[in-house]
Amino acid sequence: MRRVVVTGMGAITPIGNTVDEFWENVKKGTVGIDGITKFDTADFDVKLAAEVKGFVAKERMDFKAAKRMSVFSQYAIAAAREAWEQSGLKAENEDPFRMGVCVGSGIGGLEEMESEEKKLNEKGPSRVKPLLVPMMITNMASGNVAIDLGLKGKCVNVVTACATGTHSIGEAFRTIQMNDADVMVAGGTESSITPLGVAGFSSLTALSKSTDKNRASLPFDEERGGFVIGEGAGIVVLEELEHAKKRGANILAEVVGYGATCDAFHITSPAEDGEGAAKAMEFAMNEANLKPADVDYINAHGTGTHHNDLFETRAIRKAFGKDADNLKVNSTKSMIGHLLGAAGGVEFITCVKSINDDYIHQTVGTNKTDEECDLDYVLGHGVSQPVNVALSNSLGFGGHNATLAVKKYSA
């Protein structure tokens, strides 16, 4: 199998609109959760979300092109451009048919769906805007990134709810391994903090109803009461090792394993014994020739819902056995909420930055874990320690499980 490395990263998040800004705020323990400003929440039980702040599309891309995109595509373009710039790749120096895109969104242009449905009902079908369909469908994040960067190879869209970003990077990893591309731009993007999005998740009793932003997203805490909906994008450039070396690229880390399974259990709840998530971790470690003792850190899915946190803890114990007690486990969602289809992309970037800086961030806000959540969740403060191998977990509605294994690059 061809080796695959990370050569660029880009992020739009509730605590920073570049990777550097995001990571600095992660290390500070900054919480990006606050009152919802995108719509009036007077009739809603849920008052808080993790919104992207200070993002101005025309400052990050062509203004006319931005007007023809939904916000989730705008986030994808901005993050992809940052990742591409860091990679140092020049499209004119490459075969465009050997460079592809795999950027997914769990929901797509929900804002467009809502506004145009209202227009349909109030003013009739002739008033629905012509660009509704290409603005709302989830594959347009990949399509717009490919158009923007001039990438003519495989261009696909993975949609697996909250596992979308991780599956997208995993499938891009496979594409390069199997020699279908030399370069892939991959990750996830989402913008669905809308009345329908919040109402839907709230009716499912999945969202926190806390009004205290510092006690809203509480992964593994005994007082956890649901996740906080967030938005943003996390995009990386993956590259075949020899291709990267030949052009003198700065290699950030190496992707060494990918595991994907399905619980085949329930449409929203993970399997109670954690078997599916455990197998995803095992598959990723096996592919990477890693023993459980080799893994330093797991960036958990860690949503702050009762079932997810409990069953993911069981999954980690099932996959790692006695070595689970030596792991550091945290949840980036404690600061940025749940970015849904973008979560896996941003959390993979967190793993790479943890490896680069030998630093594992705190699970912010979590004070006392419940009895069955009994791992080291990095409470109280971050930890400086060698991080050679990290796993990133994502679990999605429908029983989708995905794990990526990433390690320090060595020749």
Side-chain angles (χ1 to χ4, degrees):
M1 287 289 188
R2 304 189 333 149
R3 291 172 68 183
V4 180
V5 294
V6 183
T7 56
M9 302 192 297
I12 302 292
T13 79
I15 58 172
N17 295 334
T18 65
V19 169
D20 286 346
E21 186 182 3
F22 162 70
W23 184 240
E24 284 304 309
N25 280 319
V26 164
K27 290 191 289 186
K28 292 175 185 175
T30 304
V31 174
I33 296 163
D34 215 328
I36 294 172
T37 66
K38 290 176 177 283
F39 61 91
D40 184 355
T41 62
D43 295 332
F44 288 74
D45 293 332
V46 172
K47 305 296 184 182
L48 301 179
E51 296 177 348
V52 167
K53 297 135 186 111
F55 178 84
V56 180
K58 66 181 180 181
E59 295 176 357
R60 303 292 291 266
M61 67 197 74
D62 178 74
F63 177 63
K64 289 184 179 179
K67 288 174 65 177
R68 300 165 69 89
M69 296 179 200
S70 186
V71 176
F72 81 100
S73 284
Q74 294 176 357
Y75 290 165
I77 291 285
R81 283 187 170 192
E82 181 188 5
W84 188 258
E85 182 176 353
Q86 184 182 30
S87 77
L89 283 158
K90 304 293 182 185
E92 61 270 23
N93 297 334
E94 306 289 340
D95 178 351
F97 292 98
R98 295 290 297 171
M99 301 189 294
V101 184
C102 185
V103 175
S105 174
I107 296 176
L110 190 57
E111 184 177 3
E112 271 66 39
M113 297 182 210
E114 290 183 41
S115 64
E116 297 308 300
E117 192 270 343
K118 181 179 179 182
K119 196 182 294 182
L120 171 67
N121 289 334
E122 294 178 354
K123 300 181 180 180
S126 64
R127 299 298 296 274
V128 172
K129 64 185 178 186
L131 289 177
L132 169 62
V133 172
M135 290 180 77
M136 76 177 184
I137 53 179
T138 57
N139 70 296
M140 291 308 293
S142 267
N144 279 314
V145 167
I147 292 166
D148 189 67
L149 298 178
L151 311 181
K152 297 183 179 182
K154 178 186 284 189
C155 184
V156 292
N157 172 45
V158 175
V159 182
T160 50
C162 306
T164 294
T166 301
H167 274 131
S168 295
I169 295 171
E171 295 303 316
F173 167 63
R174 283 278 181 270
T175 295
I176 296 172
Q177 279 186 319
M178 300 304 294
N179 200 24
D180 285 342
D182 296 320
V183 175
M184 290 291 290
V185 176
T189 185
E190 204 79 86
S191 180
S192 53
I193 304 174
T194 69
L196 188 60
V198 172
F201 281 116
S202 182
S203 294
L204 200 58
T205 67
L207 296 182
S208 170
K209 295 180 181 179
S210 173
T211 56
D212 179 352
K213 67 179 185 179
N214 294 308
R215 294 291 296 165
S217 184
L218 301 173
F220 309 105
D221 195 283
E222 64 179 1
E223 296 181 3
R224 66 191 185 277
F227 73 80
V228 175
I229 190 170
E231 62 176 348
I235 310 289
V236 297
V237 174
L238 302 185
E239 194 168 348
E240 191 272 326
L241 174 60
E242 295 306 317
H243 185 277
K245 288 167 63 177
K246 185 176 180 180
R247 64 181 190 85
N250 178 33
I251 294 171
L252 305 174
E254 181 174 3
V255 187
V256 289
Y258 169 46
T261 66
C262 182
D263 289 338
F265 171 71
H266 189 272
I267 58 172
T268 58
S269 174
E272 295 178 13
D273 62 0
E275 181 182 31
K279 280 294 181 184
M281 288 182 270
E282 290 171 12
F283 289 161
M285 288 189 288
N286 289 343
E287 179 178 14
N289 293 316
L290 295 169
K291 302 184 296 294
D294 296 328
V295 178
D296 302 298
Y297 159 51
I298 297 178
N299 189 296
H301 191 56
T303 60
T305 62
H306 179 271
H307 283 6
N308 175 90
D309 294 357
L310 174 57
F311 301 161
E312 187 175 13
T313 297
R314 291 175 181 171
I316 292 169
R317 287 213 166 274
K318 187 180 287 283
F320 282 82
K322 61 181 177 58
D323 292 304
D325 292 321
N326 300 319
L327 282 168
K328 292 288 189 293
V329 180
N330 67 9
S331 173
T332 308
K333 293 179 180 72
S334 63
M335 289 174 274
I336 62 173
H338 191 350
L339 274 53
L340 308 177
V346 173
E347 289 158 15
F348 177 82
I349 288 170
T350 302
C351 287
V352 174
K353 294 299 289 183
S354 297
I355 287 169
N356 294 163
D357 285 7
D358 288 319
Y359 179 82
I360 300 171
H361 74 70
Q362 172 191 357
T363 300
V364 178
T366 298
N367 296 326
K368 184 179 180 183
T369 59
D370 74 25
E371 199 170 299
E372 291 189 80
C373 292
D374 57 357
L375 299 170
D376 181 349
Y377 301 111
V378 195
L379 305 184
H381 56 82
V383 177
S384 293
Q385 68 165 67
V387 183
N388 295 305
V389 178
L391 300 186
S392 184
N393 285 343
S394 291
L395 317 176
F397 283 177
H400 305 290
N401 306 302
T403 298
L404 290 164
V406 61
K407 67 184 293 186
K408 278 189 194 297
Y409 169 69
S410 62

